[in-house]
């Protein structure tokens, strides 16, 4: 059986965690972590905290360990990994103005070449298509895939 984990908080730390858990701007996961630390300091066992939040006990232990090692910073998620965006919002706005104002009709390969020449941003034609598709109203397709609603209305 694992050793019991307990957190001892000073009055200031307890107030700060309460403040974090009640702040609207704080994310739900951070609020729950702060509350779990407070519950641990008030005598709750790991199993009780896990049952209360419907978490695995190991999750509670990890939260407590992160608190002991990093303090308040241990409540927050680490930055996500992955490649940073290769484009800026201004690049998409530039493409939109090209589509709206130029008399020429562009395909995604032409837009990719234009973006490379004009703004030195290297995006594939597939990526440009996906980005513009997310922004409603661009491209040749209709806004809605079907003319009629396929959901049948209940008979009165």
């Amino acid at each position: 059986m694992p050793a019991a984990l307990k957190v001892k908080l000073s009055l200031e730390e307890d107030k700060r965690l309460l403040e974090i858990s009640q702040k609207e701007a704080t994310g739900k996961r951070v609020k729950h972590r702060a509350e779990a630390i407070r519950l641990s300091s008030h005598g709750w066992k790991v199993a009780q905290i896990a049952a209360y939040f419907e978490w695995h006990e190991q999750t509670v232990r990890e939260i407590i360990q992160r608190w002991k090692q990093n303090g308040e910073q241990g409540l927050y998620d680490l930055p996500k990994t992955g490649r940073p965006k290769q484009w800026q919002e201004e690049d998409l706005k530039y493409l939109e103005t090209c589509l709206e104002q130029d008399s020429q009709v562009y395909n995604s390969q032409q837009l990719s070449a234009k973006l490379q020449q004009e703004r030195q941003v290297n995006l594939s034609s597939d990526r440009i298509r996906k980005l513009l598709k997310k922004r409603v109203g661009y491209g040749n397709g209709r806004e809605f895939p079907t003319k009629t609603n396929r959901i049948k209305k209940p008979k009165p």
Side-chain angles (χ1 to χ4, degrees):
M1 186 165 167
L5 282 175
K6 275 196 167 185
V7 177
K8 292 185 180 180
L9 296 176
S10 67
L11 189 59
E12 297 152 2
E13 288 175 327
D14 191 48
K15 285 182 182 179
R16 177 69 183 137
L17 286 174
L18 179 63
E19 185 179 298
I20 289 172
S21 65
Q22 292 177 344
K23 196 182 294 185
E24 281 189 34
T26 306
K28 182 174 91 171
R29 292 169 56 142
V30 176
K31 286 180 180 183
H32 287 318
R33 290 176 190 148
E35 191 61 31
I37 298 296
R38 290 191 71 237
L39 290 174
S40 176
S41 74
H42 290 287
W44 284 42
K45 295 181 180 168
V46 170
Q48 292 172 319
I49 298 170
Y52 178 75
F53 285 109
E54 296 178 355
W55 292 341
H56 195 276
E57 287 182 25
Q58 185 60 34
T59 304
V60 178
R61 286 188 191 94
E62 288 172 4
I63 290 169
I64 293 172
Q65 290 298 335
R66 282 176 57 180
W67 171 262
K68 286 183 175 184
Q69 290 174 357
N70 303 325
E72 187 178 325
Q73 287 302 109
L75 298 175
Y76 298 96
D77 290 326
L78 296 174
K80 302 296 180 200
T81 61
R83 182 177 177 190
K85 289 195 284 187
Q86 300 298 309
W87 53 274
Q88 301 295 323
E89 187 66 27
E90 294 81 33
D91 298 326
L92 285 182
K93 288 180 182 177
Y94 171 74
L95 289 178
E96 289 173 358
T97 57
C98 289
L99 291 171
E100 289 172 356
Q101 295 175 353
D102 291 355
S103 59
Q104 180 182 351
V105 177
Y106 293 101
N107 63 27
S108 59
Q109 292 174 342
Q110 292 169 328
L111 287 173
S112 177
K114 188 171 182 78
L115 199 58
Q116 176 64 37
Q117 289 173 353
E118 302 287 330
R119 301 183 66 95
Q120 289 73 41
V121 175
N122 190 15
L123 285 177
S124 69
S125 57
D126 290 338
R127 188 67 187 142
I128 289 176
R129 220 175 308 126
K130 286 178 185 177
L131 290 172
L132 289 177
K133 201 172 195 178
K134 284 183 181 179
R135 299 164 88 86
V136 177
Y138 289 99
N140 293 335
R142 294 189 306 260
E143 188 172 342
F144 299 103
T146 59
K147 290 183 181 178
T148 59
N149 189 355
R150 291 186 182 182
I151 299 173
K152 295 180 181 179
K153 295 180 182 175
K155 293 180 181 179

